Structures are given as structure tokens and as C-alpha cells.
Amino acid sequence: MKVKKENINSILTINVANLIKNYNKLKTINSKVEVAACVKADAYGLGYIKICKILLENGCNNFFVATAEEALSLRKKFKSINIFLLNGVNDQNTCLEMIKKNILIVINNVDQLNIIKKVFIFRKKKIKCAIHIDIAMNRLGFSAEQFKEVYDGIKNYLNIKLIMSHLTSSEIKNSSHNLQQLNYFKKVINDFSFLKNIKYSLSNSNGSFLGKKYCFNMIRAGGYLFGLDLSSKNKSKPVISLKAKIIQINSISAGSGVGYGANYITKKKSVIATLALGYADGLPRNYKGYILYNNKKAPFVGNISMDLSCIDITAIANIKVNDWVEIFGYNVSILDFAKYSKTITYEISSKIGNRVKRVYNYNI
């Protein structure tokens, strides 16, 4: 791998070709359905500016973010894309700023609705927005009944572009929740059938694989785009690979402790390599897996610290300082890595720190 001659100790490589393949795979599910991209949390840790640019060049024009700061930052770089603010707004100044920047506010509850109404009274112009209907997630969103109750009072100042909801268990294909939520959402659509030129969205990436009936007008893709499978059945192409550099190698005797607390004690004479990668970089402190070097495994030993971690390379010959080892990627899947960390892939990627160099490889 070629990198600049700077002091880089860890690299997250983004396979651009596979990112595009994953996006195109979702587009083939139903040619009439728009595939929007969720790029919140810095595109799940991959770098939202580059990811948005790549997806925009491949036909994606709808992007979802979580916070106002993310929305404004994205708008600064991309003037013409549709940006949806998932968490909505909680004050009038933020609301005005979103409107000024042509960002579509997702309205989740009556409190947010009241802020929108006050801004409308000030502006006297309908506000482009999306409505989030909660169908059993119990996290964000109106209940359908709540929204029906307030609709007559708000129809004159909202320019509704999208009505959306969210599946709770889409990665579990046979979950009874999926069909229940589908039927609930169909009822919502029927109740508001008098609305014209409205798009409807229920499914995330995994939801799109439940069948075309779950797709409606738009799917909101996130983890699948970035190779972060939650389900082993709907395999996406791997997109990210994390590597770290060895910065020191020590031969130590049997009975030696490694790392904070000396919780790991060598049982024999061992060769320990130190990686410039720790929990501040996104390597979970509880990780109990291994690295790969030339198809050979070396286990992590001792407590992972903020900036450093240790691996036992006793069984690997011809490994030296400044060599790169794979933490996860093409040989150690991120799905397995997450399992060893007792979490999910989304958390792993979104917590990869800024000290890790992002490299966008178009030639893998």
C-alpha cells in the first residue's frame, strides 16, 4: 500500500468500487424507488464529504443527516442536493437557518411542530419538510393518531415532501414486527391519500430486502452501502479495511506482564509487538480477537490502552517494525470483529477516530 511519507500509524481504506456496487445493488431492487443515503456521523465514520461526492456522481441526490451541524456542513459543500434533517429542530433560530439553506426539516413531534408554526407566522411562507410517523419504534416521531389530530391546523404552513417511518427489526427477515409495521404504514398512507406529490419511505437498507412492498418511493440506505452488514443473508461488498503499523517489537521472558494492570502474563518466552492504535482510535478496549499478517494470526494481549495495543507475534517469522497488520477488512471481516467486541458493525465504524488516516482507493 502506497501512502505519503508522513507519520501515519493507522489507515482506514475505503474501497470506492465496492461502495458504488453496494449502492447500485440497492437500486436494482426496484428501479422506480429512490435510494437515499444516510451520511450521519461522518457517513458512519467513512468521511461524509468524500462519500457524498462519490454517491452524488453515481446518481444519489437525497441525503439524510442527524444534526443541524451536519446539515449545514453538508450544504456548504453541496449546493443542490436534498438534505433531510432527521432529528428535527428544537429552536426557532436553528429552524430559520435550515430554511435559509434549503434543508428539509423532519418534524418528529408537536413541540417541533410548534417551532415550525412560529417561524411560519414570521415568514408567511410554507415550509418544506418531512413528517416522521412512529410505528412502534417509540423513539422519534408522531403517532399516526397524533398527526391526524393536528393536521388540519398545520396544512396551511407546511409543504410536506415526505412521510417516513422506520422498521425496528428489518435485519430479522422473519420477524413478525416487519409485517405489522408494513400494514400500519399502509394505513398511514391510506389516511393521507388526499395529499398529492408526497413521497413515502419506510425501509432502511435491510428493509429493502424484505420485498418490493416495503420500498414505497424511497429507501434510506446506510450500513449496507458501507459494507456494515447486520445480517449474514444480505451480503454487501466489503468497503472498509483498518490497518495499523507496528512501532515496537520486544522479546520478553515467561512470566512477564503486558499492558496496564499486567492482566496478561506470558506463559513462555514471547515476542510482543506494539501497534499505534488504541481505544481513542476506535479499537474497543474489550476486543479479544487477533490481527492478520501474511495470512497468519496474532492475538491481542493485555489491556488495550488509549493510543496503543499489543499483539503476540511469537509464531510469526520475518515481521518487523513499520510493517502493517490488518485489524479488519478483507481477511478479518468487520462482522466478526464486531462480534469479538460484543457490539455491531455500525458502532465500530462510527467510532474510528480522526487520527486514523482515511484513504479512498478507486483501484481495489
PDB file of all heavy atoms in Angstrom, residues 1-4 6-13 242-247 275-277 291-294 311 319-327 356-357 359:
ATOM      1  N   MET A   1       0.843  -1.187   0.000  1.00  0.00           N
ATOM      2  CA  MET A   1       0.000   0.000   0.000  1.00  0.00           C
ATOM      3  C   MET A   1       0.883   1.243   0.000  1.00  0.00           C
ATOM      4  O   MET A   1       1.777   1.395   0.834  1.00  0.00           O
ATOM      5  CB  MET A   1      -0.895   0.009   1.243  1.00  0.00           C
ATOM      6  CG  MET A   1      -1.741   1.244   1.372  1.00  0.00           C
ATOM      7  SD  MET A   1      -2.704   1.216   2.895  1.00  0.00           S
ATOM      8  CE  MET A   1      -3.786  -0.174   2.534  1.00  0.00           C
ATOM      9  N   LYS A   2       0.649   2.160  -0.929  1.00  0.00           N
ATOM     10  CA  LYS A   2       1.441   3.368  -1.021  1.00  0.00           C
ATOM     11  C   LYS A   2       0.762   4.490  -0.241  1.00  0.00           C
ATOM     12  O   LYS A   2      -0.406   4.795  -0.463  1.00  0.00           O
ATOM     13  CB  LYS A   2       1.616   3.787  -2.481  1.00  0.00           C
ATOM     14  CG  LYS A   2       2.471   2.826  -3.298  1.00  0.00           C
ATOM     15  CD  LYS A   2       2.643   3.340  -4.707  1.00  0.00           C
ATOM     16  CE  LYS A   2       3.521   2.405  -5.531  1.00  0.00           C
ATOM     17  NZ  LYS A   2       3.694   2.897  -6.922  1.00  0.00           N
ATOM     18  N   VAL A   3       1.490   5.097   0.657  1.00  0.00           N
ATOM     19  CA  VAL A   3       0.994   6.259   1.385  1.00  0.00           C
ATOM     20  C   VAL A   3       2.076   7.328   1.366  1.00  0.00           C
ATOM     21  O   VAL A   3       3.241   7.049   1.094  1.00  0.00           O
ATOM     22  CB  VAL A   3       0.622   5.897   2.840  1.00  0.00           C
ATOM     23  CG1 VAL A   3      -0.523   4.931   2.871  1.00  0.00           C
ATOM     24  CG2 VAL A   3       1.808   5.325   3.580  1.00  0.00           C
ATOM     25  N   LYS A   4       1.683   8.548   1.651  1.00  0.00           N
ATOM     26  CA  LYS A   4       2.641   9.631   1.689  1.00  0.00           C
ATOM     27  C   LYS A   4       3.649   9.406   2.810  1.00  0.00           C
ATOM     28  O   LYS A   4       3.372   8.728   3.797  1.00  0.00           O
ATOM     29  CB  LYS A   4       1.910  10.961   1.897  1.00  0.00           C
ATOM     30  CG  LYS A   4       1.022  11.361   0.735  1.00  0.00           C
ATOM     31  CD  LYS A   4       0.323  12.684   1.037  1.00  0.00           C
ATOM     32  CE  LYS A   4      -0.590  13.078  -0.102  1.00  0.00           C
ATOM     33  NZ  LYS A   4      -1.309  14.348   0.189  1.00  0.00           N
ATOM     34  N   GLU A   6       4.428  10.602   5.455  1.00  0.00           N
ATOM     35  CA  GLU A   6       4.107  11.304   6.684  1.00  0.00           C
ATOM     36  C   GLU A   6       3.971  10.266   7.785  1.00  0.00           C
ATOM     37  O   GLU A   6       3.948   9.072   7.537  1.00  0.00           O
ATOM     38  CB  GLU A   6       2.812  12.108   6.510  1.00  0.00           C
ATOM     39  CG  GLU A   6       1.667  11.315   5.944  1.00  0.00           C
ATOM     40  CD  GLU A   6       0.466  12.181   5.604  1.00  0.00           C
ATOM     41  OE1 GLU A   6      -0.015  12.898   6.495  1.00  0.00           O
ATOM     42  OE2 GLU A   6       0.004  12.138   4.456  1.00  0.00           O
ATOM     43  N   ASN A   7       3.887  10.734   8.997  1.00  0.00           N
ATOM     44  CA  ASN A   7       3.893   9.820  10.131  1.00  0.00           C
ATOM     45  C   ASN A   7       2.509   9.225  10.343  1.00  0.00           C
ATOM     46  O   ASN A   7       1.790   9.602  11.266  1.00  0.00           O
ATOM     47  CB  ASN A   7       4.363  10.559  11.386  1.00  0.00           C
ATOM     48  CG  ASN A   7       4.618   9.601  12.531  1.00  0.00           C
ATOM     49  OD1 ASN A   7       4.950   8.442  12.315  1.00  0.00           O
ATOM     50  ND2 ASN A   7       4.448  10.090  13.742  1.00  0.00           N
ATOM     51  N   ILE A   8       2.145   8.312   9.465  1.00  0.00           N
ATOM     52  CA  ILE A   8       0.845   7.653   9.538  1.00  0.00           C
ATOM     53  C   ILE A   8       1.022   6.303  10.222  1.00  0.00           C
ATOM     54  O   ILE A   8       1.843   5.482   9.808  1.00  0.00           O
ATOM     55  CB  ILE A   8       0.251   7.449   8.125  1.00  0.00           C
ATOM     56  CG1 ILE A   8       0.034   8.794   7.448  1.00  0.00           C
ATOM     57  CG2 ILE A   8      -1.068   6.682   8.211  1.00  0.00           C
ATOM     58  CD1 ILE A   8      -0.353   8.680   5.999  1.00  0.00           C
ATOM     59  N   ASN A   9       0.247   6.077  11.262  1.00  0.00           N
ATOM     60  CA  ASN A   9       0.361   4.830  12.009  1.00  0.00           C
ATOM     61  C   ASN A   9      -0.862   3.928  11.874  1.00  0.00           C
ATOM     62  O   ASN A   9      -0.824   2.778  12.307  1.00  0.00           O
ATOM     63  CB  ASN A   9       0.609   5.127  13.488  1.00  0.00           C
ATOM     64  CG  ASN A   9       1.989   5.707  13.720  1.00  0.00           C
ATOM     65  OD1 ASN A   9       2.958   5.271  13.101  1.00  0.00           O
ATOM     66  ND2 ASN A   9       2.084   6.698  14.591  1.00  0.00           N
ATOM     67  N   SER A  10      -1.942   4.469  11.325  1.00  0.00           N
ATOM     68  CA  SER A  10      -3.146   3.659  11.130  1.00  0.00           C
ATOM     69  C   SER A  10      -3.904   4.194   9.926  1.00  0.00           C
ATOM     70  O   SER A  10      -3.939   5.400   9.682  1.00  0.00           O
ATOM     71  CB  SER A  10      -4.037   3.678  12.377  1.00  0.00           C
ATOM     72  OG  SER A  10      -4.312   5.004  12.785  1.00  0.00           O
ATOM     73  N   ILE A  11      -4.499   3.287   9.182  1.00  0.00           N
ATOM     74  CA  ILE A  11      -5.168   3.649   7.921  1.00  0.00           C
ATOM     75  C   ILE A  11      -6.514   2.941   7.831  1.00  0.00           C
ATOM     76  O   ILE A  11      -6.606   1.728   8.063  1.00  0.00           O
ATOM     77  CB  ILE A  11      -4.310   3.258   6.696  1.00  0.00           C
ATOM     78  CG1 ILE A  11      -3.023   4.078   6.643  1.00  0.00           C
ATOM     79  CG2 ILE A  11      -5.096   3.443   5.401  1.00  0.00           C
ATOM     80  CD1 ILE A  11      -2.084   3.651   5.526  1.00  0.00           C
ATOM     81  N   LEU A  12      -7.537   3.705   7.507  1.00  0.00           N
ATOM     82  CA  LEU A  12      -8.825   3.124   7.138  1.00  0.00           C
ATOM     83  C   LEU A  12      -8.973   3.295   5.630  1.00  0.00           C
ATOM     84  O   LEU A  12      -9.097   4.419   5.130  1.00  0.00           O
ATOM     85  CB  LEU A  12      -9.978   3.830   7.859  1.00  0.00           C
ATOM     86  CG  LEU A  12     -11.359   3.213   7.589  1.00  0.00           C
ATOM     87  CD1 LEU A  12     -11.511   1.886   8.344  1.00  0.00           C
ATOM     88  CD2 LEU A  12     -12.478   4.163   7.982  1.00  0.00           C
ATOM     89  N   THR A  13      -8.922   2.182   4.918  1.00  0.00           N
ATOM     90  CA  THR A  13      -9.053   2.224   3.460  1.00  0.00           C
ATOM     91  C   THR A  13     -10.510   2.019   3.068  1.00  0.00           C
ATOM     92  O   THR A  13     -11.156   1.076   3.529  1.00  0.00           O
ATOM     93  CB  THR A  13      -8.191   1.134   2.802  1.00  0.00           C
ATOM     94  OG1 THR A  13      -6.821   1.331   3.185  1.00  0.00           O
ATOM     95  CG2 THR A  13      -8.291   1.203   1.280  1.00  0.00           C
ATOM     96  N   LEU A 242      -9.243  -1.721   8.062  1.00  0.00           N
ATOM     97  CA  LEU A 242      -8.443  -0.985   9.042  1.00  0.00           C
ATOM     98  C   LEU A 242      -7.107  -1.685   9.244  1.00  0.00           C
ATOM     99  O   LEU A 242      -7.058  -2.882   9.535  1.00  0.00           O
ATOM    100  CB  LEU A 242      -9.194  -0.893  10.371  1.00  0.00           C
ATOM    101  CG  LEU A 242      -8.474  -0.180  11.523  1.00  0.00           C
ATOM    102  CD1 LEU A 242      -8.200   1.287  11.190  1.00  0.00           C
ATOM    103  CD2 LEU A 242      -9.288  -0.302  12.806  1.00  0.00           C
ATOM    104  N   LYS A 243      -6.031  -0.920   9.083  1.00  0.00           N
ATOM    105  CA  LYS A 243      -4.693  -1.451   9.307  1.00  0.00           C
ATOM    106  C   LYS A 243      -3.935  -0.554  10.280  1.00  0.00           C
ATOM    107  O   LYS A 243      -4.195   0.648  10.370  1.00  0.00           O
ATOM    108  CB  LYS A 243      -3.912  -1.564   7.990  1.00  0.00           C
ATOM    109  CG  LYS A 243      -4.472  -2.622   7.046  1.00  0.00           C
ATOM    110  CD  LYS A 243      -3.564  -2.845   5.856  1.00  0.00           C
ATOM    111  CE  LYS A 243      -4.086  -3.992   4.987  1.00  0.00           C
ATOM    112  NZ  LYS A 243      -3.179  -4.277   3.856  1.00  0.00           N
ATOM    113  N   ALA A 244      -3.005  -1.153  11.008  1.00  0.00           N
ATOM    114  CA  ALA A 244      -2.182  -0.409  11.950  1.00  0.00           C
ATOM    115  C   ALA A 244      -0.719  -0.798  11.770  1.00  0.00           C
ATOM    116  O   ALA A 244      -0.397  -1.899  11.321  1.00  0.00           O
ATOM    117  CB  ALA A 244      -2.628  -0.670  13.384  1.00  0.00           C
ATOM    118  N   LYS A 245       0.148   0.124  12.155  1.00  0.00           N
ATOM    119  CA  LYS A 245       1.585  -0.080  11.988  1.00  0.00           C
ATOM    120  C   LYS A 245       2.212  -0.565  13.296  1.00  0.00           C
ATOM    121  O   LYS A 245       1.859  -0.101  14.382  1.00  0.00           O
ATOM    122  CB  LYS A 245       2.240   1.233  11.572  1.00  0.00           C
ATOM    123  CG  LYS A 245       3.729   1.144  11.285  1.00  0.00           C
ATOM    124  CD  LYS A 245       4.329   2.517  11.040  1.00  0.00           C
ATOM    125  CE  LYS A 245       3.909   3.061   9.679  1.00  0.00           C
ATOM    126  NZ  LYS A 245       4.588   4.354   9.387  1.00  0.00           N
ATOM    127  N   ILE A 246       3.135  -1.511  13.170  1.00  0.00           N
ATOM    128  CA  ILE A 246       3.941  -1.933  14.317  1.00  0.00           C
ATOM    129  C   ILE A 246       5.001  -0.866  14.584  1.00  0.00           C
ATOM    130  O   ILE A 246       5.754  -0.484  13.681  1.00  0.00           O
ATOM    131  CB  ILE A 246       4.610  -3.287  14.047  1.00  0.00           C
ATOM    132  CG1 ILE A 246       3.553  -4.397  13.933  1.00  0.00           C
ATOM    133  CG2 ILE A 246       5.617  -3.623  15.143  1.00  0.00           C
ATOM    134  CD1 ILE A 246       4.119  -5.743  13.535  1.00  0.00           C
ATOM    135  N   ILE A 247       5.058  -0.373  15.820  1.00  0.00           N
ATOM    136  CA  ILE A 247       6.049   0.660  16.135  1.00  0.00           C
ATOM    137  C   ILE A 247       7.133   0.181  17.105  1.00  0.00           C
ATOM    138  O   ILE A 247       8.114   0.881  17.323  1.00  0.00           O
ATOM    139  CB  ILE A 247       5.375   1.928  16.691  1.00  0.00           C
ATOM    140  CG1 ILE A 247       4.632   1.643  17.995  1.00  0.00           C
ATOM    141  CG2 ILE A 247       4.440   2.540  15.651  1.00  0.00           C
ATOM    142  CD1 ILE A 247       4.140   2.920  18.695  1.00  0.00           C
ATOM    143  N   LEU A 275       1.268  -1.861  18.578  1.00  0.00           N
ATOM    144  CA  LEU A 275       0.604  -1.150  17.482  1.00  0.00           C
ATOM    145  C   LEU A 275       0.253   0.265  17.923  1.00  0.00           C
ATOM    146  O   LEU A 275      -0.142   0.483  19.073  1.00  0.00           O
ATOM    147  CB  LEU A 275      -0.681  -1.869  17.062  1.00  0.00           C
ATOM    148  CG  LEU A 275      -0.584  -3.339  16.685  1.00  0.00           C
ATOM    149  CD1 LEU A 275      -1.971  -3.875  16.343  1.00  0.00           C
ATOM    150  CD2 LEU A 275       0.375  -3.539  15.518  1.00  0.00           C
ATOM    151  N   ALA A 276       0.363   1.201  17.009  1.00  0.00           N
ATOM    152  CA  ALA A 276      -0.018   2.586  17.291  1.00  0.00           C
ATOM    153  C   ALA A 276      -1.520   2.742  17.040  1.00  0.00           C
ATOM    154  O   ALA A 276      -1.967   3.469  16.160  1.00  0.00           O
ATOM    155  CB  ALA A 276       0.776   3.548  16.420  1.00  0.00           C
ATOM    156  N   LEU A 277      -2.301   2.015  17.833  1.00  0.00           N
ATOM    157  CA  LEU A 277      -3.756   2.038  17.691  1.00  0.00           C
ATOM    158  C   LEU A 277      -4.357   1.667  19.040  1.00  0.00           C
ATOM    159  O   LEU A 277      -4.007   0.637  19.627  1.00  0.00           O
ATOM    160  CB  LEU A 277      -4.208   1.027  16.636  1.00  0.00           C
ATOM    161  CG  LEU A 277      -5.683   1.075  16.228  1.00  0.00           C
ATOM    162  CD1 LEU A 277      -5.933   2.242  15.278  1.00  0.00           C
ATOM    163  CD2 LEU A 277      -6.103  -0.229  15.554  1.00  0.00           C
ATOM    164  N   ILE A 291      -5.020  -9.984  14.920  1.00  0.00           N
ATOM    165  CA  ILE A 291      -4.686  -9.301  13.659  1.00  0.00           C
ATOM    166  C   ILE A 291      -4.281 -10.365  12.647  1.00  0.00           C
ATOM    167  O   ILE A 291      -4.096 -11.550  12.997  1.00  0.00           O
ATOM    168  CB  ILE A 291      -3.564  -8.265  13.842  1.00  0.00           C
ATOM    169  CG1 ILE A 291      -2.253  -8.945  14.307  1.00  0.00           C
ATOM    170  CG2 ILE A 291      -4.002  -7.195  14.819  1.00  0.00           C
ATOM    171  CD1 ILE A 291      -1.342  -9.448  13.240  1.00  0.00           C
ATOM    172  N   LEU A 292      -4.135  -9.933  11.406  1.00  0.00           N
ATOM    173  CA  LEU A 292      -3.656 -10.848  10.372  1.00  0.00           C
ATOM    174  C   LEU A 292      -2.451 -10.209   9.689  1.00  0.00           C
ATOM    175  O   LEU A 292      -2.466  -9.015   9.348  1.00  0.00           O
ATOM    176  CB  LEU A 292      -4.759 -11.131   9.356  1.00  0.00           C
ATOM    177  CG  LEU A 292      -4.821 -12.566   8.824  1.00  0.00           C
ATOM    178  CD1 LEU A 292      -5.224 -13.512   9.951  1.00  0.00           C
ATOM    179  CD2 LEU A 292      -5.824 -12.677   7.693  1.00  0.00           C
ATOM    180  N   TYR A 293      -1.418 -11.030   9.514  1.00  0.00           N
ATOM    181  CA  TYR A 293      -0.217 -10.593   8.807  1.00  0.00           C
ATOM    182  C   TYR A 293       0.234 -11.740   7.910  1.00  0.00           C
ATOM    183  O   TYR A 293       0.559 -12.832   8.392  1.00  0.00           O
ATOM    184  CB  TYR A 293       0.896 -10.221   9.793  1.00  0.00           C
ATOM    185  CG  TYR A 293       2.193  -9.826   9.132  1.00  0.00           C
ATOM    186  CD1 TYR A 293       2.393  -8.522   8.696  1.00  0.00           C
ATOM    187  CD2 TYR A 293       3.219 -10.755   8.938  1.00  0.00           C
ATOM    188  CE1 TYR A 293       3.585  -8.147   8.085  1.00  0.00           C
ATOM    189  CE2 TYR A 293       4.415 -10.393   8.327  1.00  0.00           C
ATOM    190  CZ  TYR A 293       4.594  -9.083   7.900  1.00  0.00           C
ATOM    191  OH  TYR A 293       5.765  -8.719   7.294  1.00  0.00           O
ATOM    192  N   ASN A 294       0.204 -11.506   6.604  1.00  0.00           N
ATOM    193  CA  ASN A 294       0.560 -12.561   5.643  1.00  0.00           C
ATOM    194  C   ASN A 294      -0.204 -13.856   5.929  1.00  0.00           C
ATOM    195  O   ASN A 294       0.367 -14.950   5.953  1.00  0.00           O
ATOM    196  CB  ASN A 294       2.067 -12.827   5.661  1.00  0.00           C
ATOM    197  CG  ASN A 294       2.847 -11.693   5.019  1.00  0.00           C
ATOM    198  OD1 ASN A 294       2.275 -10.867   4.299  1.00  0.00           O
ATOM    199  ND2 ASN A 294       4.139 -11.650   5.275  1.00  0.00           N
ATOM    200  N   ILE A 311       0.181  -7.117  20.495  1.00  0.00           N
ATOM    201  CA  ILE A 311      -0.142  -8.409  19.906  1.00  0.00           C
ATOM    202  C   ILE A 311       1.034  -9.360  20.120  1.00  0.00           C
ATOM    203  O   ILE A 311       2.188  -8.934  20.192  1.00  0.00           O
ATOM    204  CB  ILE A 311      -0.459  -8.294  18.396  1.00  0.00           C
ATOM    205  CG1 ILE A 311       0.672  -7.574  17.656  1.00  0.00           C
ATOM    206  CG2 ILE A 311      -1.793  -7.584  18.189  1.00  0.00           C
ATOM    207  CD1 ILE A 311       0.499  -7.511  16.145  1.00  0.00           C
ATOM    208  N   ILE A 319       8.581 -10.633  10.679  1.00  0.00           N
ATOM    209  CA  ILE A 319       7.743  -9.456  10.874  1.00  0.00           C
ATOM    210  C   ILE A 319       8.578  -8.410  11.598  1.00  0.00           C
ATOM    211  O   ILE A 319       9.363  -8.751  12.489  1.00  0.00           O
ATOM    212  CB  ILE A 319       6.457  -9.805  11.647  1.00  0.00           C
ATOM    213  CG1 ILE A 319       5.499  -8.606  11.682  1.00  0.00           C
ATOM    214  CG2 ILE A 319       6.757 -10.332  13.029  1.00  0.00           C
ATOM    215  CD1 ILE A 319       4.110  -8.970  12.217  1.00  0.00           C
ATOM    216  N   LYS A 320       8.448  -7.149  11.206  1.00  0.00           N
ATOM    217  CA  LYS A 320       9.366  -6.142  11.736  1.00  0.00           C
ATOM    218  C   LYS A 320       8.654  -4.821  11.992  1.00  0.00           C
ATOM    219  O   LYS A 320       7.492  -4.625  11.595  1.00  0.00           O
ATOM    220  CB  LYS A 320      10.520  -5.942  10.763  1.00  0.00           C
ATOM    221  CG  LYS A 320      10.107  -5.520   9.363  1.00  0.00           C
ATOM    222  CD  LYS A 320      11.278  -5.544   8.417  1.00  0.00           C
ATOM    223  CE  LYS A 320      10.896  -5.059   7.017  1.00  0.00           C
ATOM    224  NZ  LYS A 320       9.842  -5.898   6.403  1.00  0.00           N
ATOM    225  N   VAL A 321       9.361  -3.924  12.661  1.00  0.00           N
ATOM    226  CA  VAL A 321       8.841  -2.579  12.920  1.00  0.00           C
ATOM    227  C   VAL A 321       8.526  -1.889  11.595  1.00  0.00           C
ATOM    228  O   VAL A 321       9.251  -2.048  10.605  1.00  0.00           O
ATOM    229  CB  VAL A 321       9.864  -1.761  13.733  1.00  0.00           C
ATOM    230  CG1 VAL A 321       9.466  -0.292  13.800  1.00  0.00           C
ATOM    231  CG2 VAL A 321       9.987  -2.325  15.152  1.00  0.00           C
ATOM    232  N   ASN A 322       7.423  -1.157  11.586  1.00  0.00           N
ATOM    233  CA  ASN A 322       6.882  -0.430  10.423  1.00  0.00           C
ATOM    234  C   ASN A 322       6.091  -1.311   9.463  1.00  0.00           C
ATOM    235  O   ASN A 322       5.571  -0.818   8.461  1.00  0.00           O
ATOM    236  CB  ASN A 322       7.966   0.333   9.644  1.00  0.00           C
ATOM    237  CG  ASN A 322       8.487   1.526  10.426  1.00  0.00           C
ATOM    238  OD1 ASN A 322       7.749   2.144  11.199  1.00  0.00           O
ATOM    239  ND2 ASN A 322       9.756   1.852  10.234  1.00  0.00           N
ATOM    240  N   ASP A 323       5.979  -2.604   9.748  1.00  0.00           N
ATOM    241  CA  ASP A 323       5.066  -3.439   8.970  1.00  0.00           C
ATOM    242  C   ASP A 323       3.621  -3.111   9.363  1.00  0.00           C
ATOM    243  O   ASP A 323       3.340  -2.709  10.498  1.00  0.00           O
ATOM    244  CB  ASP A 323       5.333  -4.921   9.232  1.00  0.00           C
ATOM    245  CG  ASP A 323       6.515  -5.441   8.440  1.00  0.00           C
ATOM    246  OD1 ASP A 323       6.967  -4.747   7.500  1.00  0.00           O
ATOM    247  OD2 ASP A 323       7.010  -6.544   8.760  1.00  0.00           O
ATOM    248  N   TRP A 324       2.732  -3.320   8.401  1.00  0.00           N
ATOM    249  CA  TRP A 324       1.308  -3.075   8.620  1.00  0.00           C
ATOM    250  C   TRP A 324       0.583  -4.393   8.874  1.00  0.00           C
ATOM    251  O   TRP A 324       0.866  -5.399   8.220  1.00  0.00           O
ATOM    252  CB  TRP A 324       0.683  -2.400   7.393  1.00  0.00           C
ATOM    253  CG  TRP A 324       1.174  -1.000   7.175  1.00  0.00           C
ATOM    254  CD1 TRP A 324       2.265  -0.610   6.452  1.00  0.00           C
ATOM    255  CD2 TRP A 324       0.594   0.191   7.690  1.00  0.00           C
ATOM    256  NE1 TRP A 324       2.402   0.751   6.480  1.00  0.00           N
ATOM    257  CE2 TRP A 324       1.379   1.277   7.234  1.00  0.00           C
ATOM    258  CE3 TRP A 324      -0.520   0.459   8.487  1.00  0.00           C
ATOM    259  CZ2 TRP A 324       1.096   2.605   7.550  1.00  0.00           C
ATOM    260  CZ3 TRP A 324      -0.815   1.783   8.803  1.00  0.00           C
ATOM    261  CH2 TRP A 324      -0.011   2.840   8.343  1.00  0.00           C
ATOM    262  N   VAL A 325      -0.351  -4.366   9.810  1.00  0.00           N
ATOM    263  CA  VAL A 325      -1.170  -5.550  10.085  1.00  0.00           C
ATOM    264  C   VAL A 325      -2.642  -5.190   9.899  1.00  0.00           C
ATOM    265  O   VAL A 325      -3.049  -4.043  10.104  1.00  0.00           O
ATOM    266  CB  VAL A 325      -0.924  -6.093  11.506  1.00  0.00           C
ATOM    267  CG1 VAL A 325       0.543  -6.464  11.694  1.00  0.00           C
ATOM    268  CG2 VAL A 325      -1.365  -5.089  12.570  1.00  0.00           C
ATOM    269  N   GLU A 326      -3.428  -6.167   9.498  1.00  0.00           N
ATOM    270  CA  GLU A 326      -4.862  -5.932   9.285  1.00  0.00           C
ATOM    271  C   GLU A 326      -5.629  -6.155  10.586  1.00  0.00           C
ATOM    272  O   GLU A 326      -5.541  -7.210  11.200  1.00  0.00           O
ATOM    273  CB  GLU A 326      -5.401  -6.864   8.206  1.00  0.00           C
ATOM    274  CG  GLU A 326      -6.893  -6.652   7.931  1.00  0.00           C
ATOM    275  CD  GLU A 326      -7.444  -7.617   6.894  1.00  0.00           C
ATOM    276  OE1 GLU A 326      -7.044  -7.493   5.714  1.00  0.00           O
ATOM    277  OE2 GLU A 326      -8.250  -8.478   7.273  1.00  0.00           O
ATOM    278  N   ILE A 327      -6.401  -5.141  10.974  1.00  0.00           N
ATOM    279  CA  ILE A 327      -7.274  -5.257  12.140  1.00  0.00           C
ATOM    280  C   ILE A 327      -8.603  -5.881  11.710  1.00  0.00           C
ATOM    281  O   ILE A 327      -9.099  -6.815  12.328  1.00  0.00           O
ATOM    282  CB  ILE A 327      -7.506  -3.887  12.798  1.00  0.00           C
ATOM    283  CG1 ILE A 327      -6.170  -3.156  13.039  1.00  0.00           C
ATOM    284  CG2 ILE A 327      -8.318  -4.039  14.083  1.00  0.00           C
ATOM    285  CD1 ILE A 327      -5.237  -3.878  13.962  1.00  0.00           C
ATOM    286  N   VAL A 356      -6.921   8.242  12.604  1.00  0.00           N
ATOM    287  CA  VAL A 356      -6.803   7.191  11.595  1.00  0.00           C
ATOM    288  C   VAL A 356      -6.959   7.823  10.219  1.00  0.00           C
ATOM    289  O   VAL A 356      -7.982   8.445   9.920  1.00  0.00           O
ATOM    290  CB  VAL A 356      -7.862   6.094  11.808  1.00  0.00           C
ATOM    291  CG1 VAL A 356      -7.739   5.022  10.731  1.00  0.00           C
ATOM    292  CG2 VAL A 356      -7.720   5.476  13.193  1.00  0.00           C
ATOM    293  N   LYS A 357      -5.961   7.670   9.395  1.00  0.00           N
ATOM    294  CA  LYS A 357      -5.967   8.257   8.056  1.00  0.00           C
ATOM    295  C   LYS A 357      -6.984   7.557   7.162  1.00  0.00           C
ATOM    296  O   LYS A 357      -6.980   6.323   7.044  1.00  0.00           O
ATOM    297  CB  LYS A 357      -4.577   8.126   7.436  1.00  0.00           C
ATOM    298  CG  LYS A 357      -4.458   8.589   6.004  1.00  0.00           C
ATOM    299  CD  LYS A 357      -4.371  10.080   5.908  1.00  0.00           C
ATOM    300  CE  LYS A 357      -4.057  10.535   4.485  1.00  0.00           C
ATOM    301  NZ  LYS A 357      -3.991  12.011   4.390  1.00  0.00           N
ATOM    302  N   VAL A 359      -8.172   6.676   3.512  1.00  0.00           N
ATOM    303  CA  VAL A 359      -7.629   6.567   2.163  1.00  0.00           C
ATOM    304  C   VAL A 359      -8.713   6.007   1.264  1.00  0.00           C
ATOM    305  O   VAL A 359      -9.251   4.923   1.530  1.00  0.00           O
ATOM    306  CB  VAL A 359      -6.383   5.643   2.130  1.00  0.00           C
ATOM    307  CG1 VAL A 359      -5.907   5.462   0.690  1.00  0.00           C
ATOM    308  CG2 VAL A 359      -5.264   6.233   2.986  1.00  0.00           C
TER     309      VAL A 359
END
